[in-house]
Amino acid sequence: MNKLRILKDLIHNTNNIVFFGGAGVSTESGIPDFRSPDGLYSQKYRFPPETMLSHDFFINNTAEFYEFYRDKMIYSNVKPNKAHLKLAKLEQCGKLKAVITQNIDGLHQMAGSEKVLELHGSVNRNNCMVCGKPYDIKMITEIEGVPLCSCSGVIKPDVVLYGEGLDNAVVTEAIRFISNADMLIIGGTSLNVYPAAGLLNYYKGDKLVLINKATTSFDKHADLIINDAIGEVLGSIQT
């Protein structure tokens, strides 16, 4: 049977679906990923991207961090693609219970998804490191240099930098959704980023679908593998 037909039937017959996604979900919106041949990690800067996106670099080289961050991590004019829109529709239909994402772009919410667990935070949230006052993304993009709070504290993006741990509350909720899911769809991720990828081990069902252009180390666990762009795959499914 055609793989897309199998996927359609699985979705049609399941009302407790969880989606786990990575950078490949947003590349079709024009946001480059990190690890492809043309990705962020293959480009040349004065420091490696892993260094510039680390907690230590943010603390010790804040101005240079923000120069890189504004240039390469914020994409203000992008819009949700067919994958984001289909997942939002599946939630509205009562089938999809949660989106668990490694992305920080907020496109799932823009598409209409309400239950979104952002493992690595979001560029849309920013907080003063002194008083905790929240700021939106405009505060970061519309000024130059280091953004400062009204109390003169440095404002930090609510994203998980290298050297920082994931939010325990978000991880706990993600584990709960994955553990209880009847169907888990994994899409647009190489599954090379830990500890996020390790959350998939909590799924115990028999409807594990993996949609990714390239093979992954998790393929051997999947019940259905589709090696294609996730936007094209999900966009072709009629619900």
Side-chain angles (χ1 to χ4, degrees):
M1 184 184 293
N2 181 279
K3 288 187 175 183
L4 288 178
R5 178 69 186 185
I6 295 174
L7 177 59
K8 179 180 178 180
D9 289 344
L10 286 172
I11 292 174
H12 178 75
N13 294 315
T14 309
N15 292 315
N16 183 7
I17 304 171
V18 170
F19 178 80
F20 182 99
V25 179
S26 293
T27 53
E28 292 170 71
S29 291
I31 298 178
D33 66 6
F34 277 31
R35 291 173 171 80
S36 71
D38 297 320
L40 185 63
Y41 284 178
S42 300
Q43 301 176 33
K44 302 300 181 183
Y45 296 95
R46 194 165 78 91
F47 296 97
E50 298 97 323
T51 298
M52 301 179 78
L53 293 174
S54 69
H55 176 81
D56 287 346
F57 195 86
F58 173 81
I59 297 299
N60 297 314
N61 307 80
T62 311
E64 192 166 0
F65 167 88
Y66 266 112
E67 182 179 358
F68 177 81
Y69 181 79
R70 290 188 181 101
D71 187 35
K72 294 299 180 183
M73 303 304 293
I74 297 176
Y75 294 85
S76 301
N77 298 318
V78 295
K79 295 181 179 180
N81 60 55
K82 288 182 284 187
H84 299 106
L85 296 171
K86 178 60 66 175
L87 291 168
K89 186 175 181 180
L90 288 173
E91 182 185 33
Q92 293 159 10
C93 292
K95 289 186 168 295
L96 185 71
K97 303 307 180 185
V99 168
I100 302 169
T101 180
Q102 299 173 84
N103 297 334
I104 60 175
D105 49 52
L107 288 177
H108 285 292
Q109 291 93 330
M110 192 183 301
S113 290
E114 295 186 5
K115 192 58 182 181
V116 182
L117 302 178
E118 296 169 309
L119 294 173
H120 297 150
S122 172
V123 297
N124 295 304
R125 297 187 301 269
N126 307 272
N127 299 284
C128 174
M129 297 180 70
V130 175
C131 71
K133 183 178 179 180
Y135 289 89
D136 62 20
I137 195 170
K138 288 185 177 181
M139 175 61 178
I140 306 300
T141 58
E142 293 182 355
I143 66 171
E144 295 183 359
V146 178
L148 298 178
C149 177
S150 55
C151 77
S152 299
V154 173
I155 298 171
K156 180 183 181 297
D158 184 17
V159 298
V160 179
L161 303 176
Y162 288 98
E164 296 178 341
L166 303 185
D167 184 293
N168 286 333
V170 175
V171 170
T172 298
E173 193 170 12
I175 290 173
R176 179 172 65 84
F177 275 106
I178 292 173
S179 300
N180 294 329
D182 293 327
M183 179 177 179
L184 178 62
I185 302 176
I186 303 169
T189 174
S190 63
L191 298 177
N192 289 327
V193 178
Y194 283 83
L199 299 179
L200 304 180
N201 293 319
Y202 288 92
Y203 179 67
K204 304 303 180 185
D206 59 359
K207 298 178 182 178
L208 177 58
V209 178
L210 209 160
I211 307 169
N212 197 54
K213 286 184 177 180
T215 59
T216 77
S217 60
F218 214 74
D219 283 12
K220 60 182 177 291
H221 301 292
D223 300 292
L224 175 64
I225 300 172
I226 302 177
N227 292 129
D228 204 346
I230 186 165
E232 294 303 314
V233 173
L234 292 184
S236 69
I237 303 296
Q238 300 299 315
T239 54

